[in-house]
């Protein structure tokens, strides 16, 4: 996973900064998402997201998955 993610160069995928590994810990260190996670954005009750924006998010996710799967 770490090797694959480090090779991805796409605006649709957060960049990988590094890896933290220890006896009780394994964590990927990624770029900062300044506006929060996609989950947080979609679950904000005070803000209704138009379906056109939701569709754009879905298309961007499809491009990100294509970028990730093209490495294998």
């Amino acid at each position: 996973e770490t090797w694959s993610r480090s090779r991805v160069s796409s605006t649709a995928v957060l960049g990988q900064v590094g890896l933290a590994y220890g006896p009780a810990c394994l964590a990927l260190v990624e770029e900062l998402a300044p506006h929060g996670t996609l989950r947080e954005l979609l679950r904000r009750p005070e803000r209704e997201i138009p379906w056109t924006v939701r569709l754009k998010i879905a298309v961007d996710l499809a491009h990100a998955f294509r970028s990730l799967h093209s490495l294998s």
Side-chain angles (χ1 to χ4, degrees):
E1 176 76 16
T2 302
W3 181 81
S4 295
R5 292 281 311 279
S6 66
R7 298 188 56 200
V8 173
S9 177
S10 170
T11 58
V13 180
L14 282 177
Q16 184 175 329
V17 176
L19 173 71
Y21 177 74
C25 174
L26 177 61
L28 293 174
V29 181
E30 298 178 333
E31 291 178 327
L32 174 67
H35 301 291
T37 67
L38 177 59
R39 180 186 177 102
E40 292 167 347
L41 174 69
L42 293 176
R43 298 207 180 252
R44 286 185 187 151
E46 73 278 359
R47 182 169 178 208
E48 180 67 28
I49 300 172
W51 281 104
T52 54
V53 174
R54 290 173 185 256
L55 179 61
K56 181 172 178 356
I57 291 170
V59 169
D60 287 347
L61 284 170
H63 288 291
F65 280 114
R66 183 182 63 197
S67 294
L68 290 172
H69 288 284
S70 69
L71 297 173
S72 53

